[in-house]
Each structure stands twice: as structure tokens, then as C-alpha cells.
Amino acid sequence: TCRETTARLRRAMDQWQPSRMQLLNYRRDGQTCWIDLKVAPMADTNGWYTHWVSVQRDVSDRVAHEQMLASEALSLAERLNAGVPMG
């Protein structure tokens, strides 16, 4: 869930640990999109963490494809369990 993802990110940031996750976000036009988010702490020359760098990439197409494959696999398994002949 969104709360769990946010909590996981917050724990990583509290410990200055890099983190990577996939989460649902919103585009400027208000439509939802899935993003792959990478967050990493950055240190100065003395080794003190001073700021964060993050990169996000839209992975909506990949997520939709994975969901379609999972749905097809479930449908196939249900048909096989019901004894529906294949072919």
C-alpha cells in the first residue's frame, strides 16, 4: 500500500540508506502512473551526508504488461483446474 511504501522510504531516509521502490504517482495532468523511484544519500568530502538525489522513471507500460500476463496465467490455471480442454 501507499502508506507502507512511504513508511519504508522514510525508514531508509532516517538511516541515510539508499532505497528503490515502485509506486503509484500522478502526472501533471492528474493521471496516475507507476514509477520506479531510486533515492540515494549524497555525502560531502568529509563524509557527512548533506542531501539526497532521486531519479524516477515511468514504468506504467511495464506494470500494465505484467498485470496482463498475471491475469492470463490466472485464467489459464482456472481453466486447467476446471478440466477445460486446451487447444
Side-chain angles (χ1 to χ4, degrees):
T1 68
C2 182
R3 289 178 200 259
E4 292 166 350
T5 303
T6 302
R8 188 166 50 109
L9 178 60
R10 186 162 291 149
R11 280 192 303 274
M13 291 180 79
D14 286 345
Q15 298 172 12
W16 291 94
Q17 296 294 314
S19 186
R20 181 178 182 181
M21 61 196 59
Q22 186 172 286
L23 54 97
L24 192 60
N25 203 354
Y26 294 90
R27 294 185 177 112
R28 288 183 183 169
D29 63 5
Q31 290 189 358
T32 58
C33 64
W34 284 98
I35 62 165
D36 177 59
L37 176 67
K38 296 178 188 178
V39 180
M42 301 304 292
D44 63 15
T45 56
N46 297 318
W48 290 93
Y49 292 115
T50 58
H51 61 283
W52 293 90
V53 172
S54 69
V55 176
Q56 65 181 8
R57 183 170 54 108
D58 187 336
V59 292
S60 299
D61 291 342
R62 187 188 78 208
V63 170
H65 184 70
E66 290 170 355
Q67 290 172 342
M68 182 212 43
L69 291 174
S71 177
E72 287 177 0
L74 179 61
S75 178
L76 176 60
E78 288 171 345
R79 287 187 311 215
L80 290 172
N81 283 336
V84 175
M86 304 307 296

PDB file of all heavy atoms in Angstrom, residues 29-65:
ATOM      1  N   ASP A  29      -0.955  16.206 -15.532  1.00  0.00           N
ATOM      2  CA  ASP A  29      -2.347  16.317 -15.977  1.00  0.00           C
ATOM      3  C   ASP A  29      -3.319  15.607 -15.027  1.00  0.00           C
ATOM      4  O   ASP A  29      -4.519  15.561 -15.276  1.00  0.00           O
ATOM      5  CB  ASP A  29      -2.511  15.776 -17.402  1.00  0.00           C
ATOM      6  CG  ASP A  29      -2.199  14.294 -17.528  1.00  0.00           C
ATOM      7  OD1 ASP A  29      -1.944  13.628 -16.507  1.00  0.00           O
ATOM      8  OD2 ASP A  29      -2.204  13.805 -18.671  1.00  0.00           O
ATOM      9  N   GLY A  30      -2.793  15.037 -13.931  1.00  0.00           N
ATOM     10  CA  GLY A  30      -3.643  14.390 -12.939  1.00  0.00           C
ATOM     11  C   GLY A  30      -3.818  12.895 -13.133  1.00  0.00           C
ATOM     12  O   GLY A  30      -4.350  12.227 -12.253  1.00  0.00           O
ATOM     13  N   GLN A  31      -3.377  12.357 -14.260  1.00  0.00           N
ATOM     14  CA  GLN A  31      -3.490  10.920 -14.493  1.00  0.00           C
ATOM     15  C   GLN A  31      -2.456  10.178 -13.643  1.00  0.00           C
ATOM     16  O   GLN A  31      -1.378  10.690 -13.373  1.00  0.00           O
ATOM     17  CB  GLN A  31      -3.284  10.592 -15.965  1.00  0.00           C
ATOM     18  CG  GLN A  31      -4.414  11.046 -16.847  1.00  0.00           C
ATOM     19  CD  GLN A  31      -4.252  10.498 -18.265  1.00  0.00           C
ATOM     20  OE1 GLN A  31      -3.290   9.826 -18.590  1.00  0.00           O
ATOM     21  NE2 GLN A  31      -5.234  10.794 -19.105  1.00  0.00           N
ATOM     22  N   THR A  32      -2.813   8.962 -13.254  1.00  0.00           N
ATOM     23  CA  THR A  32      -1.890   8.166 -12.465  1.00  0.00           C
ATOM     24  C   THR A  32      -0.862   7.480 -13.364  1.00  0.00           C
ATOM     25  O   THR A  32      -1.116   7.235 -14.544  1.00  0.00           O
ATOM     26  CB  THR A  32      -2.633   7.089 -11.654  1.00  0.00           C
ATOM     27  OG1 THR A  32      -3.371   6.254 -12.554  1.00  0.00           O
ATOM     28  CG2 THR A  32      -3.561   7.713 -10.643  1.00  0.00           C
ATOM     29  N   CYS A  33       0.290   7.205 -12.777  1.00  0.00           N
ATOM     30  CA  CYS A  33       1.337   6.459 -13.471  1.00  0.00           C
ATOM     31  C   CYS A  33       2.157   5.714 -12.426  1.00  0.00           C
ATOM     32  O   CYS A  33       2.235   6.129 -11.268  1.00  0.00           O
ATOM     33  CB  CYS A  33       2.226   7.395 -14.283  1.00  0.00           C
ATOM     34  SG  CYS A  33       3.163   8.587 -13.307  1.00  0.00           S
ATOM     35  N   TRP A  34       2.712   4.594 -12.824  1.00  0.00           N
ATOM     36  CA  TRP A  34       3.619   3.840 -11.965  1.00  0.00           C
ATOM     37  C   TRP A  34       5.036   4.323 -12.218  1.00  0.00           C
ATOM     38  O   TRP A  34       5.439   4.482 -13.358  1.00  0.00           O
ATOM     39  CB  TRP A  34       3.514   2.347 -12.262  1.00  0.00           C
ATOM     40  CG  TRP A  34       2.282   1.756 -11.680  1.00  0.00           C
ATOM     41  CD1 TRP A  34       1.115   1.511 -12.339  1.00  0.00           C
ATOM     42  CD2 TRP A  34       2.068   1.369 -10.337  1.00  0.00           C
ATOM     43  NE1 TRP A  34       0.190   0.989 -11.480  1.00  0.00           N
ATOM     44  CE2 TRP A  34       0.749   0.889 -10.238  1.00  0.00           C
ATOM     45  CE3 TRP A  34       2.867   1.374  -9.194  1.00  0.00           C
ATOM     46  CZ2 TRP A  34       0.220   0.415  -9.045  1.00  0.00           C
ATOM     47  CZ3 TRP A  34       2.333   0.906  -8.006  1.00  0.00           C
ATOM     48  CH2 TRP A  34       1.028   0.432  -7.940  1.00  0.00           C
ATOM     49  N   ILE A  35       5.773   4.566 -11.133  1.00  0.00           N
ATOM     50  CA  ILE A  35       7.160   4.994 -11.280  1.00  0.00           C
ATOM     51  C   ILE A  35       8.085   4.054 -10.520  1.00  0.00           C
ATOM     52  O   ILE A  35       7.704   3.440  -9.520  1.00  0.00           O
ATOM     53  CB  ILE A  35       7.396   6.445 -10.806  1.00  0.00           C
ATOM     54  CG1 ILE A  35       7.099   6.598  -9.319  1.00  0.00           C
ATOM     55  CG2 ILE A  35       6.619   7.428 -11.634  1.00  0.00           C
ATOM     56  CD1 ILE A  35       7.646   7.874  -8.729  1.00  0.00           C
ATOM     57  N   ASP A  36       9.288   3.939 -11.044  1.00  0.00           N
ATOM     58  CA  ASP A  36      10.390   3.283 -10.352  1.00  0.00           C
ATOM     59  C   ASP A  36      11.191   4.420  -9.740  1.00  0.00           C
ATOM     60  O   ASP A  36      11.690   5.291 -10.462  1.00  0.00           O
ATOM     61  CB  ASP A  36      11.229   2.482 -11.354  1.00  0.00           C
ATOM     62  CG  ASP A  36      12.425   1.833 -10.699  1.00  0.00           C
ATOM     63  OD1 ASP A  36      12.218   1.037  -9.768  1.00  0.00           O
ATOM     64  OD2 ASP A  36      13.562   2.121 -11.125  1.00  0.00           O
ATOM     65  N   LEU A  37      11.281   4.459  -8.421  1.00  0.00           N
ATOM     66  CA  LEU A  37      11.934   5.560  -7.715  1.00  0.00           C
ATOM     67  C   LEU A  37      13.210   5.063  -7.051  1.00  0.00           C
ATOM     68  O   LEU A  37      13.194   4.073  -6.321  1.00  0.00           O
ATOM     69  CB  LEU A  37      10.994   6.132  -6.648  1.00  0.00           C
ATOM     70  CG  LEU A  37      11.556   7.225  -5.746  1.00  0.00           C
ATOM     71  CD1 LEU A  37      11.840   8.496  -6.547  1.00  0.00           C
ATOM     72  CD2 LEU A  37      10.601   7.509  -4.600  1.00  0.00           C
ATOM     73  N   LYS A  38      14.306   5.735  -7.324  1.00  0.00           N
ATOM     74  CA  LYS A  38      15.587   5.453  -6.680  1.00  0.00           C
ATOM     75  C   LYS A  38      15.995   6.702  -5.907  1.00  0.00           C
ATOM     76  O   LYS A  38      15.995   7.803  -6.462  1.00  0.00           O
ATOM     77  CB  LYS A  38      16.663   5.134  -7.702  1.00  0.00           C
ATOM     78  CG  LYS A  38      16.404   3.891  -8.500  1.00  0.00           C
ATOM     79  CD  LYS A  38      17.509   3.699  -9.528  1.00  0.00           C
ATOM     80  CE  LYS A  38      17.176   2.577 -10.474  1.00  0.00           C
ATOM     81  NZ  LYS A  38      18.211   2.413 -11.500  1.00  0.00           N
ATOM     82  N   VAL A  39      16.341   6.530  -4.636  1.00  0.00           N
ATOM     83  CA  VAL A  39      16.742   7.634  -3.780  1.00  0.00           C
ATOM     84  C   VAL A  39      18.069   7.256  -3.133  1.00  0.00           C
ATOM     85  O   VAL A  39      18.202   6.151  -2.605  1.00  0.00           O
ATOM     86  CB  VAL A  39      15.677   7.910  -2.693  1.00  0.00           C
ATOM     87  CG1 VAL A  39      16.091   9.054  -1.802  1.00  0.00           C
ATOM     88  CG2 VAL A  39      14.317   8.204  -3.317  1.00  0.00           C
ATOM     89  N   ALA A  40      19.034   8.165  -3.184  1.00  0.00           N
ATOM     90  CA  ALA A  40      20.347   7.879  -2.603  1.00  0.00           C
ATOM     91  C   ALA A  40      20.865   9.098  -1.841  1.00  0.00           C
ATOM     92  O   ALA A  40      20.729  10.230  -2.312  1.00  0.00           O
ATOM     93  CB  ALA A  40      21.336   7.502  -3.692  1.00  0.00           C
ATOM     94  N   PRO A  41      21.473   8.873  -0.671  1.00  0.00           N
ATOM     95  CA  PRO A  41      22.076   9.979   0.077  1.00  0.00           C
ATOM     96  C   PRO A  41      23.407  10.385  -0.558  1.00  0.00           C
ATOM     97  O   PRO A  41      24.112   9.560  -1.119  1.00  0.00           O
ATOM     98  CB  PRO A  41      22.303   9.386   1.470  1.00  0.00           C
ATOM     99  CG  PRO A  41      22.487   7.921   1.218  1.00  0.00           C
ATOM    100  CD  PRO A  41      21.615   7.592   0.033  1.00  0.00           C
ATOM    101  N   MET A  42      23.717  11.646  -0.466  1.00  0.00           N
ATOM    102  CA  MET A  42      24.970  12.167  -1.006  1.00  0.00           C
ATOM    103  C   MET A  42      25.772  12.795   0.138  1.00  0.00           C
ATOM    104  O   MET A  42      25.221  13.537   0.952  1.00  0.00           O
ATOM    105  CB  MET A  42      24.701  13.222  -2.090  1.00  0.00           C
ATOM    106  CG  MET A  42      23.878  12.702  -3.255  1.00  0.00           C
ATOM    107  SD  MET A  42      24.570  11.269  -4.076  1.00  0.00           S
ATOM    108  CE  MET A  42      26.012  11.974  -4.833  1.00  0.00           C
ATOM    109  N   ALA A  43      27.061  12.487   0.166  1.00  0.00           N
ATOM    110  CA  ALA A  43      27.930  12.987   1.233  1.00  0.00           C
ATOM    111  C   ALA A  43      28.910  14.025   0.681  1.00  0.00           C
ATOM    112  O   ALA A  43      29.260  14.008  -0.497  1.00  0.00           O
ATOM    113  CB  ALA A  43      28.699  11.825   1.852  1.00  0.00           C
ATOM    114  N   ASP A  44      29.344  14.895   1.568  1.00  0.00           N
ATOM    115  CA  ASP A  44      30.368  15.869   1.173  1.00  0.00           C
ATOM    116  C   ASP A  44      31.745  15.218   1.288  1.00  0.00           C
ATOM    117  O   ASP A  44      31.869  14.029   1.592  1.00  0.00           O
ATOM    118  CB  ASP A  44      30.253  17.148   2.004  1.00  0.00           C
ATOM    119  CG  ASP A  44      30.503  16.938   3.483  1.00  0.00           C
ATOM    120  OD1 ASP A  44      31.053  15.872   3.872  1.00  0.00           O
ATOM    121  OD2 ASP A  44      30.165  17.843   4.274  1.00  0.00           O
ATOM    122  N   THR A  45      32.800  15.985   1.072  1.00  0.00           N
ATOM    123  CA  THR A  45      34.162  15.437   1.082  1.00  0.00           C
ATOM    124  C   THR A  45      34.585  14.929   2.463  1.00  0.00           C
ATOM    125  O   THR A  45      35.535  14.157   2.573  1.00  0.00           O
ATOM    126  CB  THR A  45      35.179  16.486   0.587  1.00  0.00           C
ATOM    127  OG1 THR A  45      35.055  17.652   1.393  1.00  0.00           O
ATOM    128  CG2 THR A  45      34.941  16.826  -0.872  1.00  0.00           C
ATOM    129  N   ASN A  46      33.890  15.358   3.499  1.00  0.00           N
ATOM    130  CA  ASN A  46      34.195  14.898   4.859  1.00  0.00           C
ATOM    131  C   ASN A  46      33.401  13.653   5.247  1.00  0.00           C
ATOM    132  O   ASN A  46      33.537  13.150   6.360  1.00  0.00           O
ATOM    133  CB  ASN A  46      33.914  16.001   5.880  1.00  0.00           C
ATOM    134  CG  ASN A  46      34.808  17.204   5.668  1.00  0.00           C
ATOM    135  OD1 ASN A  46      36.000  17.041   5.414  1.00  0.00           O
ATOM    136  ND2 ASN A  46      34.244  18.383   5.762  1.00  0.00           N
ATOM    137  N   GLY A  47      32.552  13.198   4.335  1.00  0.00           N
ATOM    138  CA  GLY A  47      31.745  12.024   4.633  1.00  0.00           C
ATOM    139  C   GLY A  47      30.421  12.319   5.311  1.00  0.00           C
ATOM    140  O   GLY A  47      29.697  11.396   5.681  1.00  0.00           O
ATOM    141  N   TRP A  48      30.093  13.588   5.461  1.00  0.00           N
ATOM    142  CA  TRP A  48      28.815  13.964   6.074  1.00  0.00           C
ATOM    143  C   TRP A  48      27.735  13.970   4.999  1.00  0.00           C
ATOM    144  O   TRP A  48      27.921  14.555   3.931  1.00  0.00           O
ATOM    145  CB  TRP A  48      28.907  15.361   6.698  1.00  0.00           C
ATOM    146  CG  TRP A  48      29.763  15.398   7.910  1.00  0.00           C
ATOM    147  CD1 TRP A  48      31.090  15.697   7.974  1.00  0.00           C
ATOM    148  CD2 TRP A  48      29.350  15.115   9.236  1.00  0.00           C
ATOM    149  NE1 TRP A  48      31.544  15.614   9.255  1.00  0.00           N
ATOM    150  CE2 TRP A  48      30.494  15.256  10.064  1.00  0.00           C
ATOM    151  CE3 TRP A  48      28.142  14.749   9.823  1.00  0.00           C
ATOM    152  CZ2 TRP A  48      30.441  15.048  11.433  1.00  0.00           C
ATOM    153  CZ3 TRP A  48      28.104  14.543  11.186  1.00  0.00           C
ATOM    154  CH2 TRP A  48      29.241  14.695  11.971  1.00  0.00           C
ATOM    155  N   TYR A  49      26.636  13.315   5.303  1.00  0.00           N
ATOM    156  CA  TYR A  49      25.510  13.337   4.352  1.00  0.00           C
ATOM    157  C   TYR A  49      24.885  14.714   4.358  1.00  0.00           C
ATOM    158  O   TYR A  49      24.601  15.283   5.408  1.00  0.00           O
ATOM    159  CB  TYR A  49      24.479  12.276   4.714  1.00  0.00           C
ATOM    160  CG  TYR A  49      24.994  10.879   4.510  1.00  0.00           C
ATOM    161  CD1 TYR A  49      25.161  10.013   5.576  1.00  0.00           C
ATOM    162  CD2 TYR A  49      25.325  10.427   3.235  1.00  0.00           C
ATOM    163  CE1 TYR A  49      25.636   8.733   5.385  1.00  0.00           C
ATOM    164  CE2 TYR A  49      25.809   9.150   3.032  1.00  0.00           C
ATOM    165  CZ  TYR A  49      25.966   8.303   4.118  1.00  0.00           C
ATOM    166  OH  TYR A  49      26.438   7.041   3.915  1.00  0.00           O
ATOM    167  N   THR A  50      24.701  15.246   3.172  1.00  0.00           N
ATOM    168  CA  THR A  50      24.217  16.623   3.065  1.00  0.00           C
ATOM    169  C   THR A  50      22.901  16.747   2.322  1.00  0.00           C
ATOM    170  O   THR A  50      22.155  17.696   2.536  1.00  0.00           O
ATOM    171  CB  THR A  50      25.258  17.497   2.341  1.00  0.00           C
ATOM    172  OG1 THR A  50      25.508  16.936   1.037  1.00  0.00           O
ATOM    173  CG2 THR A  50      26.550  17.577   3.125  1.00  0.00           C
ATOM    174  N   HIS A  51      22.620  15.822   1.421  1.00  0.00           N
ATOM    175  CA  HIS A  51      21.384  15.930   0.641  1.00  0.00           C
ATOM    176  C   HIS A  51      21.067  14.585  -0.018  1.00  0.00           C
ATOM    177  O   HIS A  51      21.820  13.625   0.132  1.00  0.00           O
ATOM    178  CB  HIS A  51      21.480  17.051  -0.399  1.00  0.00           C
ATOM    179  CG  HIS A  51      22.570  16.857  -1.398  1.00  0.00           C
ATOM    180  ND1 HIS A  51      23.895  17.092  -1.124  1.00  0.00           N
ATOM    181  CD2 HIS A  51      22.530  16.439  -2.685  1.00  0.00           C
ATOM    182  CE1 HIS A  51      24.632  16.829  -2.192  1.00  0.00           C
ATOM    183  NE2 HIS A  51      23.827  16.421  -3.156  1.00  0.00           N
ATOM    184  N   TRP A  52      19.971  14.565  -0.720  1.00  0.00           N
ATOM    185  CA  TRP A  52      19.501  13.363  -1.401  1.00  0.00           C
ATOM    186  C   TRP A  52      19.423  13.596  -2.899  1.00  0.00           C
ATOM    187  O   TRP A  52      19.164  14.712  -3.345  1.00  0.00           O
ATOM    188  CB  TRP A  52      18.088  12.994  -0.918  1.00  0.00           C
ATOM    189  CG  TRP A  52      18.067  12.577   0.507  1.00  0.00           C
ATOM    190  CD1 TRP A  52      17.893  13.375   1.598  1.00  0.00           C
ATOM    191  CD2 TRP A  52      18.251  11.268   1.006  1.00  0.00           C
ATOM    192  NE1 TRP A  52      17.964  12.643   2.741  1.00  0.00           N
ATOM    193  CE2 TRP A  52      18.165  11.330   2.409  1.00  0.00           C
ATOM    194  CE3 TRP A  52      18.472  10.039   0.408  1.00  0.00           C
ATOM    195  CZ2 TRP A  52      18.299  10.219   3.215  1.00  0.00           C
ATOM    196  CZ3 TRP A  52      18.596   8.923   1.213  1.00  0.00           C
ATOM    197  CH2 TRP A  52      18.509   9.019   2.600  1.00  0.00           C
ATOM    198  N   VAL A  53      19.628  12.544  -3.646  1.00  0.00           N
ATOM    199  CA  VAL A  53      19.417  12.574  -5.092  1.00  0.00           C
ATOM    200  C   VAL A  53      18.390  11.499  -5.401  1.00  0.00           C
ATOM    201  O   VAL A  53      18.462  10.388  -4.862  1.00  0.00           O
ATOM    202  CB  VAL A  53      20.728  12.299  -5.863  1.00  0.00           C
ATOM    203  CG1 VAL A  53      20.460  12.148  -7.347  1.00  0.00           C
ATOM    204  CG2 VAL A  53      21.730  13.411  -5.607  1.00  0.00           C
ATOM    205  N   SER A  54      17.423  11.844  -6.230  1.00  0.00           N
ATOM    206  CA  SER A  54      16.423  10.838  -6.607  1.00  0.00           C
ATOM    207  C   SER A  54      16.222  10.844  -8.116  1.00  0.00           C
ATOM    208  O   SER A  54      16.381  11.869  -8.776  1.00  0.00           O
ATOM    209  CB  SER A  54      15.099  11.094  -5.895  1.00  0.00           C
ATOM    210  OG  SER A  54      14.483  12.265  -6.375  1.00  0.00           O
ATOM    211  N   VAL A  55      15.910   9.677  -8.619  1.00  0.00           N
ATOM    212  CA  VAL A  55      15.603   9.504 -10.034  1.00  0.00           C
ATOM    213  C   VAL A  55      14.323   8.703 -10.102  1.00  0.00           C
ATOM    214  O   VAL A  55      14.178   7.682  -9.418  1.00  0.00           O
ATOM    215  CB  VAL A  55      16.731   8.744 -10.778  1.00  0.00           C
ATOM    216  CG1 VAL A  55      16.346   8.483 -12.218  1.00  0.00           C
ATOM    217  CG2 VAL A  55      18.039   9.523 -10.689  1.00  0.00           C
ATOM    218  N   GLN A  56      13.392   9.188 -10.900  1.00  0.00           N
ATOM    219  CA  GLN A  56      12.165   8.421 -11.093  1.00  0.00           C
ATOM    220  C   GLN A  56      11.941   8.186 -12.578  1.00  0.00           C
ATOM    221  O   GLN A  56      12.251   9.032 -13.396  1.00  0.00           O
ATOM    222  CB  GLN A  56      10.965   9.091 -10.440  1.00  0.00           C
ATOM    223  CG  GLN A  56      10.570  10.415 -11.012  1.00  0.00           C
ATOM    224  CD  GLN A  56       9.371  10.993 -10.270  1.00  0.00           C
ATOM    225  OE1 GLN A  56       8.933  10.485  -9.255  1.00  0.00           O
ATOM    226  NE2 GLN A  56       8.837  12.072 -10.787  1.00  0.00           N
ATOM    227  N   ARG A  57      11.440   6.990 -12.867  1.00  0.00           N
ATOM    228  CA  ARG A  57      11.212   6.595 -14.258  1.00  0.00           C
ATOM    229  C   ARG A  57       9.806   6.033 -14.361  1.00  0.00           C
ATOM    230  O   ARG A  57       9.378   5.221 -13.544  1.00  0.00           O
ATOM    231  CB  ARG A  57      12.246   5.538 -14.636  1.00  0.00           C
ATOM    232  CG  ARG A  57      12.203   5.078 -16.049  1.00  0.00           C
ATOM    233  CD  ARG A  57      13.416   4.209 -16.373  1.00  0.00           C
ATOM    234  NE  ARG A  57      13.579   3.099 -15.450  1.00  0.00           N
ATOM    235  CZ  ARG A  57      13.348   1.828 -15.749  1.00  0.00           C
ATOM    236  NH1 ARG A  57      12.958   1.491 -16.948  1.00  0.00           N
ATOM    237  NH2 ARG A  57      13.529   0.896 -14.850  1.00  0.00           N
ATOM    238  N   ASP A  58       9.071   6.460 -15.378  1.00  0.00           N
ATOM    239  CA  ASP A  58       7.716   5.968 -15.611  1.00  0.00           C
ATOM    240  C   ASP A  58       7.790   4.524 -16.116  1.00  0.00           C
ATOM    241  O   ASP A  58       8.386   4.248 -17.151  1.00  0.00           O
ATOM    242  CB  ASP A  58       7.015   6.858 -16.644  1.00  0.00           C
ATOM    243  CG  ASP A  58       5.540   6.532 -16.819  1.00  0.00           C
ATOM    244  OD1 ASP A  58       5.122   5.393 -16.539  1.00  0.00           O
ATOM    245  OD2 ASP A  58       4.802   7.432 -17.251  1.00  0.00           O
ATOM    246  N   VAL A  59       7.197   3.609 -15.358  1.00  0.00           N
ATOM    247  CA  VAL A  59       7.185   2.195 -15.730  1.00  0.00           C
ATOM    248  C   VAL A  59       5.754   1.690 -15.912  1.00  0.00           C
ATOM    249  O   VAL A  59       5.483   0.500 -15.783  1.00  0.00           O
ATOM    250  CB  VAL A  59       7.954   1.332 -14.693  1.00  0.00           C
ATOM    251  CG1 VAL A  59       9.445   1.646 -14.729  1.00  0.00           C
ATOM    252  CG2 VAL A  59       7.378   1.506 -13.296  1.00  0.00           C
ATOM    253  N   SER A  60       4.835   2.593 -16.226  1.00  0.00           N
ATOM    254  CA  SER A  60       3.419   2.244 -16.363  1.00  0.00           C
ATOM    255  C   SER A  60       3.197   1.151 -17.405  1.00  0.00           C
ATOM    256  O   SER A  60       2.405   0.223 -17.168  1.00  0.00           O
ATOM    257  CB  SER A  60       2.591   3.476 -16.734  1.00  0.00           C
ATOM    258  OG  SER A  60       2.688   4.453 -15.729  1.00  0.00           O
ATOM    259  N   ASP A  61       3.878   1.247 -18.548  1.00  0.00           N
ATOM    260  CA  ASP A  61       3.701   0.233 -19.594  1.00  0.00           C
ATOM    261  C   ASP A  61       4.147  -1.144 -19.108  1.00  0.00           C
ATOM    262  O   ASP A  61       3.480  -2.145 -19.351  1.00  0.00           O
ATOM    263  CB  ASP A  61       4.455   0.614 -20.863  1.00  0.00           C
ATOM    264  CG  ASP A  61       3.851   1.814 -21.570  1.00  0.00           C
ATOM    265  OD1 ASP A  61       2.675   2.139 -21.296  1.00  0.00           O
ATOM    266  OD2 ASP A  61       4.555   2.424 -22.388  1.00  0.00           O
ATOM    267  N   ARG A  62       5.275  -1.185 -18.417  1.00  0.00           N
ATOM    268  CA  ARG A  62       5.775  -2.461 -17.908  1.00  0.00           C
ATOM    269  C   ARG A  62       4.812  -3.057 -16.877  1.00  0.00           C
ATOM    270  O   ARG A  62       4.515  -4.251 -16.900  1.00  0.00           O
ATOM    271  CB  ARG A  62       7.156  -2.298 -17.286  1.00  0.00           C
ATOM    272  CG  ARG A  62       7.767  -3.645 -16.891  1.00  0.00           C
ATOM    273  CD  ARG A  62       9.037  -3.510 -16.112  1.00  0.00           C
ATOM    274  NE  ARG A  62       8.662  -3.167 -14.743  1.00  0.00           N
ATOM    275  CZ  ARG A  62       9.418  -2.480 -13.918  1.00  0.00           C
ATOM    276  NH1 ARG A  62      10.583  -2.030 -14.304  1.00  0.00           N
ATOM    277  NH2 ARG A  62       9.028  -2.224 -12.705  1.00  0.00           N
ATOM    278  N   VAL A  63       4.305  -2.231 -15.972  1.00  0.00           N
ATOM    279  CA  VAL A  63       3.374  -2.703 -14.947  1.00  0.00           C
ATOM    280  C   VAL A  63       2.097  -3.226 -15.597  1.00  0.00           C
ATOM    281  O   VAL A  63       1.591  -4.292 -15.225  1.00  0.00           O
ATOM    282  CB  VAL A  63       3.062  -1.590 -13.923  1.00  0.00           C
ATOM    283  CG1 VAL A  63       1.920  -1.982 -13.003  1.00  0.00           C
ATOM    284  CG2 VAL A  63       4.312  -1.253 -13.118  1.00  0.00           C
ATOM    285  N   ALA A  64       1.578  -2.514 -16.586  1.00  0.00           N
ATOM    286  CA  ALA A  64       0.369  -2.962 -17.287  1.00  0.00           C
ATOM    287  C   ALA A  64       0.607  -4.300 -17.968  1.00  0.00           C
ATOM    288  O   ALA A  64      -0.249  -5.197 -17.923  1.00  0.00           O
ATOM    289  CB  ALA A  64      -0.072  -1.912 -18.302  1.00  0.00           C
ATOM    290  N   HIS A  65       1.777  -4.471 -18.577  1.00  0.00           N
ATOM    291  CA  HIS A  65       2.105  -5.731 -19.248  1.00  0.00           C
ATOM    292  C   HIS A  65       2.204  -6.872 -18.232  1.00  0.00           C
ATOM    293  O   HIS A  65       1.688  -7.970 -18.463  1.00  0.00           O
ATOM    294  CB  HIS A  65       3.410  -5.584 -20.024  1.00  0.00           C
ATOM    295  CG  HIS A  65       3.780  -6.776 -20.829  1.00  0.00           C
ATOM    296  ND1 HIS A  65       3.086  -7.153 -21.956  1.00  0.00           N
ATOM    297  CD2 HIS A  65       4.751  -7.707 -20.647  1.00  0.00           C
ATOM    298  CE1 HIS A  65       3.621  -8.267 -22.437  1.00  0.00           C
ATOM    299  NE2 HIS A  65       4.636  -8.621 -21.665  1.00  0.00           N
TER     300      HIS A  65
END
